[in-house]
Amino acid sequence: MRYMKLFFLVTDIGFILYWLSAGFSLIPESWAFKHHDHPFMIAWNWSFFPLDILISLTGLYSLYLHRVNRADWKLMALISLVLTCCSGLQAISFWTFSRDFDLVWWLFNGYLLIYPLFFIHLLLKESNATKQC
């Protein structure tokens, strides 16, 4: 849980900071993705807002549930992890279909796609072990 907590905090707080930065136009031009100022790309980017905030809410809530010793923290964590994976996959799929490669954006979204898989596996493995006992 210690490592998952770290990943959740980095990801969930990172999403909140990203959306605050995007909302207040604080992201430097040199860091922005290609065509970030075109209406289509603005709409595409903001289409992730509800998903990313839901990821943050479920992730942070799962940490709270774990802290107060509630068993349903695992369900919230699993929901957050699956949504995180989906967010990364959607972004990488878009960048792939549009044939756009920016190492920074691919790394961030690759992180969102890949890291949850390890913890999803652990949560499911732990859940199956508990059921067999």
Side-chain angles (χ1 to χ4, degrees), residues 47-61:
S47 73
F48 281 85
F49 175 75
L51 176 59
D52 293 349
I53 293 304
L54 187 57
I55 290 165
S56 292
L57 292 174
T58 55
L60 294 172
Y61 186 55

Side-chain angles (χ1 to χ4, degrees), residues 53-118:
I53 293 304
L54 187 57
I55 290 165
S56 292
L57 292 174
T58 55
L60 294 172
Y61 186 55
S62 73
L63 294 177
Y64 166 76
L65 292 174
H66 182 267
R67 192 179 59 183
V68 297
N69 254 355
R70 297 242 330 255
D72 49 350
W73 75 266
K74 291 179 186 178
L75 178 60
M76 274 299 119
L78 186 59
I79 291 169
S80 183
L81 290 165
V82 169
L83 292 175
T84 303
C85 195
C86 290
S87 182
L89 178 62
Q90 282 301 115
I92 287 179
S93 295
F94 178 82
W95 299 123
T96 300
F97 291 129
S98 64
R99 297 180 183 180
D100 186 7
F101 182 79
D102 180 308
L103 182 61
V104 173
W105 289 100
W106 274 72
L107 286 174
F108 280 126
N109 288 292
Y111 162 82
L112 295 174
L113 172 63
I114 295 169
Y115 107 78
L117 298 175
F118 296 102

